[in-house]
């Protein structure tokens, strides 16, 4: 899975029927030091998450295996909101300290 | 999913029978500031879209899950035309202002 | 799908039985201006194509959905030979003018 | 598959039910000389492994084929802990010498 | 598929049961001129191949379609050993001349 911050939203009215009811979110990837990178994906929200949260995104056919996305035409779904990340013994991200 | 602008068309007469009736479009990816990047994909049109529109493209096996592409030999399908994109609280794309 | 020029061939005698009878072709990717890039894939020929033709390659599980490649152990198949490509209103590729 | 060192952990309480009970680990990829690269993936632990171990990660739909991850919404799973790696006739990694 | 040279081996005792009996090989990718690049994959041997051979690797779900890897948790399998490669009319690789 990839990790990134939810930084935006996409609105579409003309779309495949399988996307009806899904929020399309812009998730900007972070590097291993939790800095934003230029990469991003458009992911559907499979769990109910909010702007600026750090998210885990599952890609490929596994994006169709979540409770909300079964058999939907999506290749990226947010499946977790991150509370904490520890790398090399250091706390590099903590949800309730970030703004 | 990825986001990009529909910038071109591909015409082919010699092709697998599964591609019959599909428009093959050149979708040039945009970065998170909506600037065109050098990357592109050739995607089939699964919803009926037009030149210069901003599109959402689903890739991989999920490209075969749309209403029009079931069981077709495609790995990229346009599943939505973008109306608006907001990133970091700013409107970075608006369909009806772009030319 | 990706687009590239068929620039070479691979010959193999020691291989999985599922590859028997397939031509393995070297397809060198082109950028959106139709210039060759350093990237390439080895793809099977699913339609009967020739050296130097511009090809559309489908990747992933969809490479096993063509008429000739059903259930074969391949992740890249040529599914179309390109006649013309138009980008931003300009004809950037035309089969019968290229040598 | 890719190879990388297990360098961190991700904690999440708000997540898809299919992730319940899985450890989410940060696996930082190594190059062919076993040096850490900037790339990483978030992978579930499918075998029971520990911090700083060198791991083999399977991606895509195959991440759902392990004993522990069948039908789970994951696209990356650690399926092996590396004991030794030999490249070009040299031992480039040995588990029981690394700290 | 990708093409690369078999340059190394990975040994693992702690692993998913689905990997039992498979050789894990380090395949270093080559560019279109057959020079080694920094990229590599860890692939299982699906045909019986040897060190330094030039190999074709199938990735993704298709890596589970070979005779030996059906339903195994692998995303990369060597499915062919290369005899010759011709690019732009030149022989760029020949197995029985390489050392």
């Amino acid at each position: 899975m990839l990790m990134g911050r939810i930084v935006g939203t996409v609105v579409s009215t003309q779309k495949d029927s399988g996307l009806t009811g899904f929020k399309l979110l812009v998730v900007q990837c972070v590097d291993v030091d939790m800095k934003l990178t230029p990469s991003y994906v458009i992911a559907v929200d499979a769990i109910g998450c909010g702007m600026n949260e750090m998210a885990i995104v599952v890609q490929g056919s596994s994006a169709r295996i979540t409770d909300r996305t079964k058999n939907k035409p999506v290749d990226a779904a947010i499946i977790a909101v991150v509370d904490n990340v520890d790398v090399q013994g250091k706390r590099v991200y903590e949800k309730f300290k970030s703004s």
Side-chain angles (χ1 to χ4, degrees), chain A:
Chain A
M1 285 70 75
L2 65 78
M3 185 160 54
R5 192 178 283 276
I6 302 169
V7 298
T9 55
V10 175
V11 174
S12 168
T13 46
Q14 183 186 353
K15 59 191 170 190
D16 184 83
S17 65
L19 287 184
T20 305
F22 283 108
K23 272 195 292 183
L24 291 172
L25 298 175
V26 182
V27 181
Q28 193 169 353
C29 303
V30 294
D31 64 20
V32 80
D33 300 314
M34 308 301 288
K35 300 272 192 322
L36 290 173
T37 73
S39 299
Y40 73 97
V41 294
I42 307 296
V44 296
D45 179 2
I47 51 166
C49 49
M51 201 56 48
N52 284 316
E53 288 189 308
M54 193 63 68
I56 301 292
V57 175
V58 65
Q59 295 184 280
S61 57
S62 298
R64 306 192 308 260
I65 310 286
T66 77
D67 294 338
R68 294 193 192 176
T69 59
K70 291 235 188 298
N71 300 318
K72 299 300 181 189
V74 299
D75 65 12
I78 297 172
I79 50 163
V81 170
V82 174
D83 296 335
N84 307 314
V85 181
D86 291 290
V87 171
Q88 307 276 24
K90 280 190 290 194
R91 174 73 36 110
V92 292
Y93 176 77
E94 203 165 329
K95 184 181 175 179
F96 296 106
K97 284 171 63 181
S98 78
S99 58

